[in-house]
Amino acid sequence: MAREKLGKEAVAEAMAGLDGWRLADDGNSISRRFTFRNFSEAFAFMTRSALAAGKMDHHPDWSNVYKTVDVSLNTHDAGGLTGLDFELARKMNLYAGS
């Protein structure tokens, strides 16, 4: 998948089909908070997401506290959002069961 920065229209279209994610005010990243029943479920989600991200060579900015995982996605070398961000976000939604 290309690492070309998406235009505003393409970002808006991609956001329309992406439940739970929020577009940053500057339009250069998307974020979501995932909450699980416990730490083990949160860690399992992060493990699955990390394996997918590694295969994509596209890595999230994230943090974990107990059962909460906060994620921010953008493509640093493109200076904003690319198709990779939305592909990884969809996978994360799937892994979280949402």
Side-chain angles (χ1 to χ4, degrees):
M1 179 167 288
R3 294 181 184 264
E4 294 178 19
K5 184 176 176 180
L6 298 174
K8 288 182 181 181
E9 289 180 17
V11 168
E13 184 177 320
M15 287 298 297
L18 194 60
D19 293 336
W21 291 80
R22 183 183 69 79
L23 181 64
D25 291 339
D26 66 5
N28 287 327
S29 65
I30 56 174
S31 62
R32 179 166 181 191
R33 172 169 283 177
F34 294 92
T35 304
F36 300 90
R37 290 185 299 181
N38 54 48
F39 175 75
S40 293
E41 286 186 8
F43 196 84
F45 164 78
M46 291 181 74
T47 301
R48 288 188 76 187
S49 298
L51 291 170
K55 287 180 182 176
M56 296 170 65
D57 191 27
H58 187 63
H59 306 95
D61 294 322
W62 58 6
S63 65
N64 165 242
V65 176
Y66 182 49
K67 63 180 185 174
T68 303
V69 179
D70 289 312
V71 181
S72 177
L73 298 175
N74 75 355
T75 304
H76 298 282
D77 53 345
L81 292 164
T82 68
L84 289 170
D85 301 300
F86 292 100
E87 180 181 349
L88 185 54
R90 286 188 295 274
K91 287 181 181 193
M92 290 177 143
N93 279 359
L94 179 66
Y95 300 153
S98 55

